[in-house]
Amino acid sequence: MVGLTERLHSQSVRYLTGLPEAVSVPISDLAQSFGQFIGAVLSRLGATTKSNSELLELWNAIRNESENPSFQTERIFEAQLGFDADECPEELLQTALELSEEIGGDTLSEISPIYGRVGFGKFRDLCDSIGLMAHPDLSPLSLSFDDTTSHVSRAHSLSKWLRSELNIGERPVEDSELADLLGIETKRLFGWEPAPEQRISLGIRENGSFRFYPRKRHPMARRFEIARIIADLFLFGNDSSDWIASTDLKTFRQKYQRAFAAEFLCPISALSDFLDWDFSESKIEEAAEYFQASTQTIESHLANNNLIQRTWASLPYETTPFAAALLG
């Protein structure tokens, strides 16, 4: 059995600097950094006897593909479907390309890792079933964000703006208010039974309205789910043709949804006042009951606002004291 020290030293990436939280890096910046690094390696190889290396051939192929938009799109879809380059079945790739035209490339990126491997059959079954007709009543968004605004900051600003527009203040949001935002009768929305083994929440655009397929069964989970759908509607706008999708993935879009839902349902200022620095299990349960949100939502929201420590294991880029000692 490989020892912990050996595993830490033999891992492909060694993190030399710990970070207190996840940091979003624009894909263009990441690609540029990779390009500069590979260019430096090739320059060094060119100064030796290995000027015609496999790395050079591979890098030239990647650069040629990056200049062709159709190749770029196919490579992205292949990766999202879980395949290496040129290993995705042609029929599946073609299905993905056709779906992107129908539901939007951004939405396809959210569902491909979930349904792609099985050929999108279960996804099509969901789309062909009867859903809840929703007629969103959302005011035009008067906020604007630049590319440097984090998903958390964007979500919190939006949730505060919407609460102000609805004159909710810091009190708990009622079920009827959530239903009104989607334009669905409250009893129908919270009484909806999702399809067996449904793996995403989905909204299919139809002439300004959309067919909504909730998947959460518990009332508190359904409230959180609805708030996430509202966040997604704001992300794309009423005039977009992109479908609405809420999943369990850790993408920017899904993190933005969760951040909005947590702040919209239980504003951190109101939550802090309610707890009054009592973060015991019983008090958090009281807060969950008051705001009609799960205890997991309450705890995650507190942790994201640095009021309590996270309860899960350290992220891979965080260097714990024990790991730091082993790494030397």
Side-chain angles (χ1 to χ4, degrees), residues 16-176:
L16 301 179
T17 304
L19 298 174
E21 60 182 14
V23 175
S24 297
V25 179
I27 188 64
S28 57
D29 292 353
L30 185 63
Q32 182 179 15
S33 296
F34 280 150
Q36 291 173 346
F37 173 72
I38 294 172
V41 173
L42 290 173
S43 177
R44 178 59 180 165
L45 288 174
T48 66
T49 59
K50 296 182 178 181
S51 57
N52 295 320
S53 64
E54 292 182 7
L55 176 62
L56 179 60
E57 295 178 7
L58 179 59
W59 184 236
N60 285 336
I62 291 174
R63 292 176 65 184
N64 289 335
E65 287 185 0
S66 66
E67 296 173 358
N68 187 320
S70 62
F71 268 128
Q72 273 190 305
T73 301
E74 290 182 6
R75 290 293 179 258
I76 291 172
F77 286 163
E78 283 177 329
Q80 291 169 347
L81 290 166
F83 294 92
D84 290 333
D86 290 325
E87 291 189 5
C88 179
E90 183 62 31
E91 183 179 355
L92 179 58
L93 182 57
Q94 187 59 38
T95 299
L97 290 169
E98 293 172 357
L99 265 178
S100 70
E101 295 294 326
E102 181 180 358
I103 72 177
D106 288 333
T107 298
L108 180 66
S109 298
E110 302 295 325
I111 70 168
S112 287
I114 301 170
Y115 286 109
R117 279 282 188 172
V118 293
F120 296 105
K122 292 185 181 297
F123 175 70
R124 281 298 187 189
D125 290 341
L126 177 63
C127 297
D128 292 338
S129 62
I130 299 174
L132 284 170
M133 284 308 301
H135 308 279
D137 182 20
L138 300 175
S139 303
L141 184 60
S142 61
L143 298 178
S144 61
F145 305 98
D146 57 41
D147 293 337
T148 62
T149 306
S150 71
H151 65 274
V152 173
S153 297
R154 185 176 307 193
H156 283 192
S157 296
L158 176 55
S159 64
K160 292 175 181 177
W161 173 84
L162 183 56
R163 275 182 161 268
S164 176
E165 287 288 301
L166 298 175
N167 198 27
I168 295 177
E170 294 197 336
R171 65 169 173 80
V173 181
E174 298 179 5
D175 290 350
S176 59

Side-chain angles (χ1 to χ4, degrees), residues 177-245:
E177 290 171 321
L178 290 170
D180 287 344
L181 285 170
L182 292 186
I184 304 176
E185 184 182 350
T186 306
K187 289 184 178 179
R188 293 191 66 215
L189 180 57
F190 284 89
W192 177 262
E193 285 293 326
E197 300 181 4
Q198 183 176 331
R199 301 175 66 184
I200 66 172
S201 305
L202 181 67
I204 301 177
R205 300 275 193 174
E206 292 184 352
N207 301 320
S209 301
F210 69 95
R211 273 188 289 135
F212 182 32
Y213 298 86
R215 66 167 171 146
K216 299 296 185 180
R217 297 180 182 275
H218 193 281
M220 288 186 181
R222 178 68 56 87
R223 284 169 54 84
F224 194 79
E225 174 184 42
I226 294 168
R228 290 182 62 177
I229 293 297
I230 292 169
D232 216 42
L233 283 169
F234 274 122
L235 183 65
F236 287 96
N238 289 332
D239 297 330
S240 174
S241 60
D242 287 68
W243 290 10
I244 307 302

